Every structure is written in structure tokens, then in C-alpha cells.
Amino acid sequence: MNKLLSLVLSVLILSGCTSGNRSSLPYDAWRLGFFAPDYMEVWIETADTYGINGMVRIEAGSGTASIGYPRALSKGIPEVFKGDPKGWPERVGWGAGKYVKGADLPKQIYVRWQSLVEPQTYHTRIDIPESIRDIMRKGEKAFCRADGKWITDYREAIVIGLAPGGIAKAWVTGPCLSPIEIARVQAKVDPTGPYDGKSGGRHRPLSPTSKEYVEKFGIPYGSW
């Protein structure tokens, strides 16, 4: 009888720990997004997250990053290039990405991407300190212009900007809260090349508009 009671108590304790881990976030899931400066197109091969609970998510992010110019539905080379790739925006958006469900906040994010304007393949790791994770768990009063109401908002999104030269910069932000910078890192060239060396050194193609911009104005290295 004592052994049975001990077993039941052990199960209850473990269940409590598991429930505690699942409810460690005040929202259902955190979001991972990516963007690139105007015309500086990138292709994300993989973004893997390493959680504080030891969980690893392979390809938590991949594919295209959001970009202001060229526009998604634009056709032909414009007579005037309206975008400006120099520097980072004062207020970053959420980028192209998705919610990472069923995983706790990350302590590190690994990104491997193709910089299509160079072209070059880079990879790097971005550390997410505990102080940033504390910010992501903390609710703040915020005024949302979308509905004109004061709400309790959370910085539930990590947004990463990827620029030529292997520059990656990360912020944490929320729907109605201003972004806070996490880190700026210098990535290394991946010696295996695009797609882990499985494409014969061929990168994804650059769009005609971005190709024309780079040929006319170059790449503003040093502005990121």
C-alpha cells in the first residue's frame, strides 16, 4: 500500500512539473520571424531553436524573409527604385515566419541562410539571454491603435534581420509594444555552400528587380 501511494505521489509530482513547464508562458506560443533590407533578398535554409528545457526544433523557420522592395506582385523593372536598403528600420515589423508551438522560449537560435545578392551562404548562432526571456514573459500595459484600447501586451516575437556580409540582428517585440534589441552578430561563411553542398554551389536566383538595383547602386555594406 505504501509503495502504491509513493508511486501515485511520484506521478502527481511529475505531472505537476510537466504542467508547470507547459504553462511557463503567459500565451500559447512565441513567434519567430525574419526580414531583409530592401532588395537584399535572402533565402533561409533553416532556423533551429534550442529551448531552455533542452528541446530542439529543427526548421522552426525557413524559406523567404519579408522584404519591403521589390513588392510581391510587382511586374517588370521599375523606372524609380523607391526602396532604401541602408540601415535597419527604426521600428521593425514581425517579419515572415510562424509561431513555435509546444516549445518553451529559446536560449539559442541557429540560422543558415543564402544572401542572394552576393551570393553567399552564412550561418550563425544567436544567444537569447535570460533577461530577454524575462521580458518575453512580462506583460505590459500598451495602447493598441488597431482597436483604440489599452491592453496587457507581451513581447512574444523574436524578429531577425539578415543582411549582406553575414550580418544578423535580432529584436524582441509585441503587437502593440516597441521592439527591444537582443543582439547583433557577424555570421561566418558556411564552407559547405548552399544546401549543405547538395546543389553544386548553386544559390537560389535573385529577382530581376533586385539584380538591377544592385547593378546600379551596389550593396551598402557597413550600414547594418
Side-chain angles (χ1 to χ4, degrees):
M1 185 69 180
N2 289 336
K3 289 183 179 180
L4 179 60
L5 179 60
S6 177
L7 178 61
V8 171
L9 288 174
S10 297
V11 171
L12 288 174
I13 291 171
L14 288 174
S15 298
C17 292
T18 303
S19 298
N21 288 338
R22 288 177 179 174
S23 62
S24 63
L25 292 179
Y27 36 83
D28 293 336
W30 64 277
R31 190 179 188 278
L32 179 61
F34 294 89
F35 75 97
D38 293 343
Y39 308 111
M40 305 291 111
E41 297 176 35
V42 303
W43 177 262
I44 301 150
E45 292 189 0
T46 188
D48 309 331
T49 65
Y50 300 79
I52 58 176
N53 57 3
M55 181 181 292
V56 179
R57 281 294 180 90
I58 304 299
E59 290 193 6
S62 62
T64 58
S66 68
I67 195 167
Y69 292 91
R71 301 292 194 189
L73 301 178
S74 61
K75 296 181 180 179
I77 306 298
E79 294 183 3
V80 178
F81 290 92
K82 296 181 180 180
D84 183 4
K86 300 182 186 69
W88 301 108
E90 291 185 6
R91 189 182 180 99
V92 299
W94 279 41
K98 61 183 179 181
Y99 281 92
V100 184
K101 298 181 179 180
D104 214 330
L105 296 176
K107 62 180 180 180
Q108 192 177 76
I109 300 173
Y110 170 80
V111 189
R112 186 176 70 246
W113 78 96
Q114 298 178 26
S115 174
L116 305 184
V117 295
E118 297 178 272
Q120 190 60 271
T121 305
Y122 297 101
H123 64 165
T124 193
R125 296 181 186 274
I126 301 172
D127 292 322
I128 311 298
E130 180 63 25
S131 59
I132 292 296
R133 293 194 293 272
D134 286 341
I135 289 173
M136 296 181 75
R137 298 185 189 101
K138 181 183 177 183
E140 293 186 26
K141 292 295 182 182
F143 181 77
C144 266
R145 295 180 181 178
D147 54 14
K149 296 179 180 179
W150 284 90
I151 64 168
T152 298
D153 197 15
Y154 294 89
R155 290 183 174 88
E156 61 191 63
I158 294 176
V159 184
I160 301 174
L162 302 173
I167 302 300
K169 193 169 184 178
W171 295 263
V172 62
T173 190
C176 303
L177 293 169
S178 58
I180 295 174
E181 182 178 331
I182 300 173
R184 178 186 182 276
V185 299
Q186 173 64 63
K188 295 180 179 179
V189 173
D190 191 331
T192 62
Y195 299 110
D196 268 343
K198 299 175 183 177
S199 68
R202 293 187 299 274
H203 291 82
R204 289 181 64 88
L206 182 65
S207 73
T209 299
S210 293
K211 185 174 184 294
E212 183 75 10
Y213 180 92
V214 171
E215 289 177 353
K216 283 188 174 182
F217 304 105
I219 299 173
Y221 290 111
S223 68
W224 302 294

